Amino acid sequence: MADQAAVTLLCLFLPFLAAVLAPAVIRAFGHAGSWLLALAPLLSFLHFLTFLPEVADGGVVTGGFAWVPSLNLSFSWFLDGLSLTFALLITGIGTLIVLYSGGYMKGHPQLGRFLCFILLFMGAMLGLVVSDSFLMLFVYWELTSITSFLLIGFDHEREAARRSALQALVVTGLGGLSLLAGLIFLWNMTGVTQLSLLVHVGDGLRESPFYLAALILLLGGAFTKSAQFPFHFWLPNAMEAPTPVSAYLHSATMVKAGVYLLMRLNPVMGATPAWEILLPLFGGVTLIAGAFLAIRQTDLKLMLAYTTMASLGLLVMLTGFGTPHAIEAAVLYLVAHSLFKGALFMVAGLVDHEAGTREVTKLGGLRSVMPITFVAALLAALSMGGLPLFLGFLAKEEIYYALAHGDLRAMLFTLVAIVGNGLMLVVGFTVALKPFLGPHVETPKHAHEGPLLMWLGPAVLAGLGLLGGIFSGIAHRFVSTPMASAVAGELRPVDITTIPHLGMPLLLSVVTVAFGVAVYLQIDRARAMMVRLLAAIGNGPDRGFDHVISGLVRLSVAVTRMVQPGRLEIYVTATFIFLALTLLVPPFVYGELPELPAWPTDVLFHEWAIILLAVIGLFAVLRASDRLTAIVSLGIQGFAVAVIFLLFGAADLSFTQFMVETLSVVILALVMTRLRLSPRDHRPLGQMLFDATIAISCGLGFTLMLMKSTQGPFNAHLTEFFNAYSKVIAHGANVVNVIIVDFRGTDTLGEIGVVMITGLAVLALIRVRPRNPLPQTRVEAPADGDRP
Amino acid sequence: MNTLILRTVAPPITALMLVFSVFVLLRGHNEPGGGFIGGLIAASALAIYGIAYGVSAVRRAIRFHPMAIAGFGLLVATLSGFVSVFVGVPFMTGLWIYPRIFGVELPLATVISFDIGVYFVVLGSIASIALALEEREFD
Amino acid sequence: METLFSVLIGIFFASAIYLMLSKHTVRILLGFAILGNAVNLLLFTAGRLTREVPPIIPLAADVLPEGAANPLPQALILTAIVISFSFFAFLLVLTYRGYQELGTDNTDEMRLAEPKDEPLPPLGY
């Protein structure tokens, strides 16, 4: 068992490993290196395949390793029907995508980087769906957002790609934060940090007063990731990415992460009024909006992108609908959609690659030159349209079976589903049939069948859609039933077959197909109508995103200019005002003022004299109006300090201070003789009073603080330590020197480092002259006292 | 500032100050003094010489660039700290030896070499600053 | 004694801060030099004042004599003096070079790093 856990762990990290190697492999083997790189997802796929029998029998595969034991965090995974199906889709489609990318981007100088990103994403997505702990789920969730950002912005020299990448990152990143908040809520409400343990919490979660808050936060994460209206706008823009990315991330896997989260939470959070209102509502609106928006597009990829959005809406709607059959329908549709949409995207890329355009109006008659592609496209479109024999048909039958139950709510959603499905069928047929049928249209490139690397993917996925429909028993046994059971939280055997039964669902299917075919025949008029309608509506959330971003930039500029106006005076003034407040407010507020001292009687005459000298020196500096006075008075206060040190038993300090003051006066004199500057105070009276108030407040604050601290008892602990050991252990009689070079030697080492660095800095300042002297921008000085 | 009086007294004063700075440095462990103050005295000595005879005379006299002297000091100080590593005690632990040279017991310690390092850093850095500022006068 | 010093240190800080609030780099520099002394005196006083006797252990003894000064603040201040001096020298040279390059000692006119009418950053992507 431990061996199996180790292999599973390896499989989870295999994509990351391959990602690291990808650039080197591509450099060595060219685009054929993708065969080698595809081994990584393939091996993972085969490993996960071995879990199928166990999971099909209702088992759960778990494993993990301690990560941060002190925080009760573990790196643990949890594979039930839901996770396993996702894992198989990710690794399986991933294998085909890696191969497809090798063909699609053959000869591209950045193919290695591209495959690296794709494999990174695969690792992240795989981690997301098998994660058991909340934290792991969140980390992987954000990793998928980041890799999606990298892939959308892959062609980073185009502004549109950069914008779309940023948009996707902002929207899904904000959603990620919302998810994190929601998970923290869950953790606080239940005390559980693992998804697998949530089930045991039971109804406690639903009855918690924080249920709604947690639900809304979690939905914020799921809806942004799965492009639900009104957060859908990033998904069509994400089509700026190369087609393999669109096929993999933005249809088959990543955008389903939100749906995965909802399905995962359904057993513990579902079946409440809020759940059954919010999910179908947002899902339904997304379905209709996506389907209608898809009609107006003429770009193959954009059409598919909007149908993806619509499909995601349908999945959310079904997940939240609340009946067992709806869950079964969601599960079937999810799998079917991943297969046919992945295939159709790859077909669109293939057509683009071979014919040189994705504009559906400029394509036609490719049937004869690209037969394999045509067959794959046709199979995928039939599955998408929900025609018998295909997996899509099972899904659609199940959808109508779930929805058509008579009451008003069900009828409304049935209508939504019919319109949505019908329009999606139209788009599917447009994508799959229009480029291939009809008279041959001259395309920018001379089209012919693509290479094996490229048609393999769509052919396999489209074929699986057909096989899944025909051998529905096997599909149900190993995939649908375990997955539906995991989502429902109880055993849900799925038994729908592809043989049509007479009844309500079949009737609704026929209505859908008829509606779809009717619109398909009138596609140009429908498109024109949609264009007019959208022009009438005007601004969408996509434009709004631009406004928000530019608003943010302007806001931060305004804030920066307010707190950093670029005038040193203001910074210094603000600093000292806060210093004064810090020193003065607490003593007054907490009554920590020192006692009023008596007139000092223990001060000797010469001490009075030297203190007076220091004060005179200070005032002379303040009042100095020429350079010489300033320098000399500065020297006076400095030497006075040196004498004070000497009088109070600090001989070392006194000598040092004398030397420093002498040197200061010398170098100050050296510089000042060359600076024709007057140290006179230029401030007007009002400004002087203002500054003096700040300065005196600070001074008063220091005085009070020092009085208070010297009035208290003296803690001589450290002094006694140094006193006791200075001679005995450190063999030095001068305690000050012993502290500096021995007890606190490391400190001193740092300090002489600082002295050395200032020496170097001075040297650099003196030596380095700009090669081009900076322009002398003489800014007109504002009038003195002119404060903002 | 290169008056006759200054030019006459500068060499003996400089020499005296340098000797005094070494004296202050070495007695620092037991009497007032030490690396910081010694370094400052030596730097002042060089500054005075520089004022009297010009910076290039000082640079010739001390042979090395002042910052090189400072770098040497930092190296000595750091190595003094690392000596303790070879004895298996923590970084910067003071170690003492008492070799007999010409019959006199001479206490030597890593703390003394550390203080010598401090002396050179202060001497080099401050002298470098002072000389750099004096030098600008002639351009 | 400490009370008198507290007042003296207050005057030191007030003078230093008043000078530093000026627009002119020369006055800021003078203020900085005084601020260093103010801080050193603050540390010195906080370690309590004793007259004359330096913290040096006599030959015959193993510990300091009664009434010796507190060595700890002295050790802190000694390095602080040297460091604030080298920093003072750095600021002095900075002022000097700033005056050479920009032709002013008025900080309001030193707008090279933060120009007055800086345009908006690019709003594109």
Side-chain angles (χ1 to χ4, degrees):
Chain A
M1 205 58 204
D3 284 351
Q4 192 206 32
V7 175
T8 308
L9 188 69
L10 180 70
C11 285
L12 289 179
F13 281 95
L14 211 53
F16 291 121
L17 191 70
V20 174
L21 297 176
V25 169
I26 294 301
R27 206 171 301 133
F29 300 102
H31 77 284
S34 57
W35 286 106
L36 198 62
L37 290 171
L39 279 178
L42 184 66
L43 288 175
S44 292
F45 178 77
L46 293 175
H47 176 69
F48 287 119
L49 219 48
T50 62
F51 293 151
L52 262 187
E54 189 183 343
V55 172
D57 292 336
V60 171
V61 181
T62 58
F65 297 90
W67 187 5
V68 189
S70 55
L71 290 176
N72 196 18
L73 281 181
S74 57
F75 186 94
S76 53
W77 58 85
F78 165 75
L79 281 155
D80 59 358
L82 178 61
S83 297
L84 186 61
T85 307
F86 263 99
L88 288 173
L89 283 174
I90 291 160
T91 48
I93 299 181
T95 310
L96 298 171
I97 286 289
V98 169
L99 296 176
Y100 181 81
S101 305
Y104 184 78
M105 303 195 61
K106 177 179 173 184
H108 192 291
Q110 302 282 335
L111 175 61
R113 184 165 69 97
F114 180 77
L115 284 173
C116 170
F117 291 164
I118 284 271
L119 288 160
L120 277 181
F121 164 77
M122 192 184 299
M125 189 69 205
L126 194 57
L128 197 167
V129 296
V130 302
S131 291
D132 193 10
S133 89
F134 289 172
L135 190 74
M136 250 174 86
L137 175 79
F138 173 73
V139 169
Y140 279 123
W141 183 283
E142 293 293 59
L143 262 182
T144 60
S145 291
I146 292 167
T147 44
S148 157
F149 167 78
L150 291 172
L151 284 165
I152 297 171
F154 179 72
D155 193 3
H156 54 80
E157 279 166 17
R158 283 184 307 119
E159 185 177 335
R162 291 199 299 272
R163 173 177 185 268
S164 302
L166 195 69
Q167 193 178 50
L169 186 69
V170 168
V171 175
T172 55
L174 285 178
L177 288 182
S178 176
L179 170 76
L180 179 65
L183 290 174
I184 290 173
F185 256 101
L186 279 189
W187 174 50
N188 272 318
M189 284 152 65
T190 61
V192 162
T193 59
Q194 288 180 330
L195 290 169
S196 54
L197 298 180
L198 264 186
V199 188
H200 305 301
V201 174
D203 285 340
L205 201 56
R206 293 190 186 90
E207 285 151 16
S208 162
F210 299 111
Y211 170 79
L212 193 65
L215 177 67
I216 288 173
L217 287 169
L218 290 167
L219 290 186
F223 283 1
T224 48
K225 198 80 163 179
S226 284
Q228 297 299 293
F229 187 87
F231 309 113
H232 63 280
F233 53 92
W234 71 266
L235 183 58
N237 287 337
M239 296 302 129
E240 289 294 337
T243 306
V245 178
S246 310
Y248 191 40
L249 273 71
H250 303 125
S251 72
T253 57
M254 188 187 85
V255 288
K256 297 220 170 73
V259 177
Y260 165 79
L261 183 72
L262 296 177
M263 288 182 160
R264 177 57 79 206
L265 292 173
N266 183 51
V268 278
M269 296 190 81
T272 61
W275 180 273
E276 291 185 0
I277 290 170
L278 287 175
L279 265 65
L281 183 68
F282 278 90
V285 171
T286 309
L287 169 59
I288 293 295
F292 274 105
L293 287 167
I295 296 291
R296 73 149 288 197
Q297 302 299 331
T298 54
D299 181 307
L300 290 179
K301 271 179 77 178
L302 280 178
M303 295 167 82
L304 289 172
Y306 280 108
T307 59
T308 303
M309 172 186 154
S311 304
L312 291 167
L314 181 61
L315 283 170
V316 170
M317 185 175 113
L318 290 170
T319 308
F321 199 71
T323 63
H325 281 290
I327 298 292
E328 289 175 27
V331 163
L332 283 170
Y333 190 74
L334 189 143
V335 175
H337 177 260
S338 289
L339 298 178
F340 67 68
K341 194 55 70 66
L344 282 178
F345 262 113
M346 288 197 248
V347 166
L350 194 48
V351 168
D352 184 20
H353 191 259
E354 297 303 325
T357 181
R358 298 197 306 248
E359 277 297 306
V360 76
T361 48
K362 294 179 187 155
L363 289 163
L366 293 173
R367 175 182 68 252
S368 52
V369 286
M370 300 175 74
I372 306 174
T373 314
F374 173 58
V375 171
L378 190 64
L379 293 180
L382 290 174
S383 183
M384 181 171 172
L387 291 173
L389 289 182
F390 290 91
L391 205 53
F393 173 76
L394 303 184
K396 188 172 300 162
E397 287 292 286
E398 196 71 54
I399 289 169
Y400 290 132
Y401 196 68
L403 293 180
H405 272 304
D407 64 351
L408 190 66
R409 174 169 174 266
M411 272 167 68
L412 181 69
F413 282 114
T414 310
L415 190 66
V416 166
I418 290 176
V419 173
N421 274 330
L423 291 177
M424 280 201 273
L425 180 141
V426 173
V427 175
F429 276 26
T430 312
V431 172
L433 301 182
K434 178 73 181 34
F436 298 99
L437 300 180
H440 186 77
V441 177
E442 207 45 55
T443 51
K445 276 162 81 176
H446 184 70
H448 46 76
E449 188 58 79
L452 167 69
L453 271 174
M454 289 186 72
W455 60 252
L456 186 67
V460 169
L461 292 185
L464 277 176
L466 180 60
L467 291 177
I470 294 170
F471 301 104
S472 58
I474 298 174
H476 291 330
R477 159 122 172 71
F478 288 108
V479 177
S480 322
T481 303
M483 187 168 165
S485 307
V487 177
E490 60 192 6
L491 189 63
R492 284 302 317 159
V494 182
D495 48 16
I496 189 159
T497 64
T498 190
I499 297 145
H501 307 276
L502 284 178
M504 193 64 179
L506 187 66
L507 181 67
L508 290 174
S509 277
V510 172
V511 171
T512 307
V513 173
F515 171 67
V517 171
V519 177
Y520 177 67
L521 295 175
Q522 297 292 324
I523 181 73
D524 290 328
R525 275 169 70 188
R527 187 179 294 140
M529 213 169 74
M530 276 311 296
V531 170
R532 278 200 303 277
L533 181 64
L534 287 175
I537 294 174
N539 273 357
D542 192 30
R543 286 279 134 247
F545 176 79
D546 283 345
H547 292 309
V548 169
I549 292 290
S550 87
L552 271 178
V553 172
R554 284 166 204 277
L555 179 70
S556 40
V557 168
V559 170
T560 309
R561 284 195 184 150
M562 197 174 70
V563 298
Q564 297 196 350
R567 289 176 59 197
L568 182 69
E569 199 193 349
I570 293 170
Y571 302 153
V572 176
T573 307
T575 307
F576 284 124
I577 286 176
F578 277 99
L579 178 64
L581 291 177
T582 315
L583 284 169
L584 286 176
V585 171
F588 281 104
V589 171
Y590 297 105
E592 294 272 320
L593 286 170
E595 293 158 36
L596 197 67
W599 181 257
T601 53
D602 56 343
V603 187
L604 303 176
F605 175 74
H606 63 276
E607 290 163 358
W608 273 112
I610 200 69
I611 286 171
L612 207 61
L613 188 65
V615 174
I616 290 171
L618 288 176
F619 278 100
V621 177
L622 290 180
R623 301 294 307 153
S625 56
D626 62 87
R627 284 170 283 161
L628 191 65
T629 319
I631 296 171
V632 171
S633 354
L634 190 71
I636 289 174
Q637 61 84 29
F639 287 119
V641 172
V643 174
I644 289 173
F645 285 144
L646 191 63
L647 290 179
F648 290 92
D652 280 314
L653 293 191
S654 182
F655 294 158
T656 315
Q657 178 79 12
F658 270 121
M659 292 314 302
V660 159
E661 287 304 329
T662 314
L663 279 167
S664 296
V665 168
V666 168
I667 64 168
L668 201 55
L670 281 172
V671 171
M672 290 289 243
T673 49
R674 275 168 282 151
L675 280 179
R676 306 261 164 251
L677 290 175
S678 150
R680 194 182 286 121
D681 203 343
H682 299 269
R683 286 173 267 202
L685 188 65
Q687 173 89 62
M688 266 188 196
L689 288 177
F690 181 72
D691 288 351
T693 311
I694 299 172
I696 291 171
S697 307
C698 288
L700 185 67
F702 278 111
T703 300
L704 293 179
M705 183 187 83
L706 194 55
M707 270 190 199
K708 180 74 188 170
S709 63
T710 50
Q711 278 171 6
F714 179 59
N715 181 348
H717 179 74
L718 274 178
T719 306
E720 277 158 13
F721 170 86
F722 291 127
N723 186 5
Y725 294 112
S726 180
K727 192 157 189 181
V728 180
I729 290 183
H731 311 290
N734 182 354
V735 185
V736 175
N737 188 267
V738 171
I739 294 175
I740 290 177
V741 298
D742 201 335
F743 288 127
R744 310 228 10 102
T746 314
D747 218 15
T748 309
L749 189 63
E751 278 153 356
I752 58 176
V754 172
V755 172
M756 170 111 189
I757 287 165
T758 36
L760 285 172
V762 166
L763 212 57
L765 268 179
I766 293 266
R767 283 252 185 97
V768 178
R769 300 213 149 235
R771 228 164 263 152
N772 305 314
L774 296 158
Q776 296 271 322
T777 44
R778 295 247 2 158
V779 185
E780 206 56 57
D784 272 338
D786 178 15
R787 270 164 193 278
Chain B
M1 276 204 251
N2 48 5
T3 61
L4 184 62
I5 298 173
L6 186 60
R7 277 173 166 267
T8 314
V9 297
I13 284 186
T14 306
L16 262 176
M17 282 176 83
L18 284 175
V19 172
F20 184 63
S21 75
V22 176
F23 167 68
V24 166
L25 159 71
L26 292 180
R27 75 170 203 157
H29 215 58
N30 293 313
E31 298 290 328
F36 279 104
I37 173 75
L40 283 170
I41 294 172
S44 314
L46 295 182
I48 288 173
Y49 195 78
I51 290 170
Y53 286 92
V55 173
S56 46
V58 181
R59 292 204 194 279
R60 271 197 307 279
I62 59 175
R63 285 173 167 272
F64 302 102
H65 191 281
M67 280 322 285
I69 295 177
F72 169 73
L74 196 57
L75 185 70
V76 169
T78 315
L79 290 180
S80 310
F82 274 113
V83 170
S84 57
V85 171
F86 298 105
V87 196
V89 287
F91 180 65
M92 294 292 307
T93 307
L95 297 168
W96 292 77
I97 48 170
Y98 301 92
R100 293 190 76 83
I101 297 171
F102 305 122
V104 182
E105 194 184 68
L106 192 67
L108 291 177
T110 55
V111 290
I112 292 175
S113 60
F114 181 78
D115 216 11
I116 293 172
V118 172
Y119 172 85
F120 279 115
V121 171
V122 174
L123 161 64
S125 303
I126 305 292
S128 165
I129 293 170
L131 292 181
L133 286 170
E134 283 172 17
E135 205 164 34
R136 305 303 302 173
E137 221 163 1
F138 305 105
D139 69 356
Chain C
M1 180 66 73
E2 275 89 0
T3 308
L4 182 62
F5 266 76
S6 304
V7 175
L8 176 68
I9 288 160
I11 296 173
F12 262 90
F13 270 108
S15 314
I17 289 168
Y18 181 72
L19 286 167
M20 289 177 83
L21 285 168
S22 168
K23 283 179 189 165
H24 295 274
T25 47
V26 177
R27 282 178 79 84
I28 296 176
L29 195 65
L30 295 174
F32 184 83
I34 295 174
L35 190 69
N37 283 336
V39 172
N40 289 342
L41 280 177
L42 179 82
L43 285 176
F44 193 62
T45 310
R48 301 301 189 275
L49 300 170
T50 53
R51 287 210 178 85
E52 272 110 32
V53 187
I56 291 172
I57 300 169
L59 262 182
D62 274 343
V63 290
L64 288 172
E66 197 64 28
N70 183 356
L72 182 59
Q74 295 194 21
L76 297 177
I77 296 167
L78 187 68
T79 48
I81 292 175
V82 177
I83 287 186
S84 58
F85 170 67
S86 44
F87 200 60
F88 170 75
F90 174 73
L91 280 185
L92 181 67
V93 175
L94 196 63
T95 305
Y96 172 55
R97 295 284 294 141
Y99 183 70
Q100 274 189 329
E101 296 295 327
L102 302 170
T104 178
D105 76 327
N106 186 337
T107 52
D108 273 358
E109 291 169 22
M110 298 180 171
R111 300 301 297 261
L112 213 60
E114 293 168 282
K116 214 170 212 174
D117 300 308
E118 206 172 4
L120 278 179
L123 288 170
Y125 291 93

